[in-house]
């Protein structure tokens, strides 16, 4: 896929370094799959490893509900050095739709790119959390065309973490998201957003299929943990690629079971 005017060339699979640094985008197979808590876990593990971490949320929607924002959750659980939300919209819709409904300016792709790169100059790891799935409309390009989180990944040349469910339906949703990223030349890996306390056959079957792509798995309810417990536990949920200590899925599965 050719880069459009003003964009960098698409990212290629970058496996020369065992650990991920720089800009990392976090998307999901759908909404409510655990992106925010997974982002907090990555931030906590990286900080425990001594990295300077920033988390950026380009577009936060649903603030009219008065529920804690994603930035609130990440600050509480992980307390990164920097947490920024670039735009907030009242209605719980996709960011572009929420901007239109509210009559507010839509997110400009290159304003978002500039903000992320500015934080990358000051931090070792910048985690950028999307909204919903990979192809949700996020905002507008200068010419008026919508852009998606996939467009942001190719413009930045960044690796992507895909947060997925553990249960029924996840294989198709995860495969579709990974294929869309691969076609764009984007290197991606998967985190299970909520591994159940009492996994069933479908969870174990899915785990076996997804292990080649996995770099982490969070326990169900991790977002409700005491922040101190969360920060101490986070490295155990992530592989060394994400500055964790999970290095043997067989051992993990035996303990989880």
């Amino acid at each position: 896929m050719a880069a459009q005017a003003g964009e960098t060339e698409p990212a290629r699979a970058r496996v020369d370094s065992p650990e991920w640094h720089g800009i990392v985008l976090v998307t999901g197979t759908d909404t409510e799959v655990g992106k925010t808590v997974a982002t907090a876990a990555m931030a906590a593990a990286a900080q425990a490893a001594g990295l300077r971490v920033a988390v950026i949320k380009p577009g936060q929607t649903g603030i009219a509900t008065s529920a804690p924002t994603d930035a609130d959750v990440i600050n509480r659980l992980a307390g990164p050095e920097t947490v920024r939300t670039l735009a907030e919209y009242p209605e719980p819709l996709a960011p572009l739709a929420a901007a239109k409904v509210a009559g507010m300016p839509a997110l400009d792709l290159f304003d978002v790119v500039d903000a992320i790169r500015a934080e990358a100059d000051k931090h070792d790891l910048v985690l950028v959390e999307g909204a919903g799935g990979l192809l949700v409309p996020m905002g507008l390009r200068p010419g008026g065309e919508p852009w998606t989180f996939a467009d942001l990944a190719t413009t930045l040349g960044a690796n992507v973490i895909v947060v997925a469910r553990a249960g029924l339906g996840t294989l198709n949703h995860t495969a579709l998201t990974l294929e869309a990223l691969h076609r764009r030349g984007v290197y991606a890996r998967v985190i299970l957003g909520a591994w159940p306390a009492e996994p069933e056959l479908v969870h174990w079957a899915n785990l076996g299929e997804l292990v080649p792509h996995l770099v982490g798995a969070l326990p169900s309810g991790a977002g409700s943990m005491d922040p101190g417990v969360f920060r101490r536990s986070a490295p155990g949920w992530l592989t060394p690629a994400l500055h964790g200590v999970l290095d043997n899925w067989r051992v993990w599965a035996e303990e989880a079971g």
Side-chain angles (χ1 to χ4, degrees), residues 149-193:
F149 210 60
D151 296 320
L152 184 62
T154 56
T155 303
L156 289 166
N159 290 349
V160 173
I161 290 293
V162 177
V163 182
R165 291 187 173 89
L168 193 65
T170 198
L171 296 182
N172 180 59
H173 293 159
T174 304
L176 287 170
T177 304
L178 291 175
E179 180 176 316
L181 288 165
H182 178 73
R183 286 179 176 272
R184 290 166 170 81
V186 177
Y187 183 70
R189 285 292 179 262
V190 177
I191 290 177
L192 295 178

Side-chain angles (χ1 to χ4, degrees), residues 127-152:
L127 300 169
V128 183
E129 184 192 350
L134 182 68
L135 299 183
V136 166
M138 294 290 296
L140 296 175
R141 298 173 183 269
E145 305 87 1
W147 61 272
T148 68
F149 210 60
D151 296 320
L152 184 62

Side-chain angles (χ1 to χ4, degrees), residues 32 37 71 100 131 148 225:
E32 302 297 328
V37 179
K100 290 179 178 178
T148 68
M225 288 182 173

Side-chain angles (χ1 to χ4, degrees), residues 20-237:
W20 288 22
H21 296 83
I23 300 167
V24 175
L25 273 57
V26 185
T27 190
T29 53
D30 199 352
T31 189
E32 302 297 328
V33 295
K35 288 191 305 297
T36 301
V37 179
T39 300
M42 287 185 279
Q47 290 202 138
L51 276 66
R52 296 167 299 163
V53 180
V55 178
I56 296 179
K57 180 79 175 182
Q60 175 69 60
T61 64
I63 62 170
T65 65
S66 299
T69 65
D70 293 344
D72 292 335
V73 173
I74 290 167
N75 266 321
R76 178 179 65 84
L77 291 174
E81 180 178 307
T82 300
V83 179
R84 292 182 60 189
T85 301
L86 302 184
E88 294 183 331
Y89 303 106
E91 299 301 327
L93 305 169
L96 179 55
K100 290 179 178 178
V101 167
M104 298 172 65
L107 281 164
D108 179 273
L109 174 60
F110 297 108
D111 286 347
V112 173
V113 167
D114 289 344
I116 293 169
R117 286 176 174 161
E119 296 302 334
D121 288 339
K122 299 180 287 187
H123 298 83
D124 303 306
L125 178 67
V126 179
L127 300 169
V128 183
E129 184 192 350
L134 182 68
L135 299 183
V136 166
M138 294 290 296
L140 296 175
R141 298 173 183 269
E145 305 87 1
W147 61 272
T148 68
F149 210 60
D151 296 320
L152 184 62
T154 56
T155 303
L156 289 166
N159 290 349
V160 173
I161 290 293
V162 177
V163 182
R165 291 187 173 89
L168 193 65
T170 198
L171 296 182
N172 180 59
H173 293 159
T174 304
L176 287 170
T177 304
L178 291 175
E179 180 176 316
L181 288 165
H182 178 73
R183 286 179 176 272
R184 290 166 170 81
V186 177
Y187 183 70
R189 285 292 179 262
V190 177
I191 290 177
L192 295 178
W195 182 258
E198 297 183 1
E200 300 176 357
L201 176 61
V202 64
H203 301 107
W204 290 115
N206 288 343
L207 178 68
E209 294 291 332
L210 292 173
V211 158
H213 306 287
L214 284 181
V215 287
L218 276 61
S220 181
S224 300
M225 288 182 173
D226 172 84
V229 174
F230 182 92
R231 296 174 196 185
R232 290 192 298 272
S233 303
W237 305 330

